[in-house]
Amino acid sequence: MLDVLLKENIIKLLELKHPEEANQIENLIYCKYHRLINHYINKSFVLKDNIMMLYKNGDNIFMTK
């Protein structure tokens, strides 16, 4: 879902705080949203909260095409 939201410019990645960790997608605990080696993407509470906010605001990104 993150890839779709990024592609459609609906959500933006957070500020890069640790450039040495960016794009290390081969690491099992790399979070693409935070661009950090810290946790799995599905454990990102910040990303989940942002997606829920979009949903609660009635954003039509959740409509199927």
Side-chain angles (χ1 to χ4, degrees):
M1 178 179 268
L2 177 60
D3 290 332
V4 173
L5 295 173
L6 290 170
K7 182 180 176 187
E8 299 292 326
N9 291 316
I10 295 169
I11 200 167
K12 301 212 183 290
L13 293 177
L14 298 178
E15 179 184 338
L16 184 59
K17 294 182 180 180
H18 299 278
E20 68 279 3
E21 294 183 9
N23 299 317
Q24 292 191 21
I25 58 173
E26 69 282 349
N27 192 304
L28 295 177
I29 57 171
Y30 178 76
C31 176
K32 184 176 180 178
Y33 182 62
H34 288 102
R35 297 182 282 178
L36 289 173
I37 298 169
N38 188 299
H39 56 268
Y40 301 102
I41 185 82
N42 61 351
K43 300 289 183 185
S44 176
F45 296 109
V46 174
L47 178 58
K48 286 180 184 180
D49 288 346
N50 286 340
I51 292 171
M52 287 304 298
M53 188 181 319
L54 289 168
Y55 178 75
K56 288 178 182 178
N57 288 338
D59 200 305
N60 64 1
I61 63 163
F62 300 97
M63 305 298 288
T64 57
K65 293 183 180 183

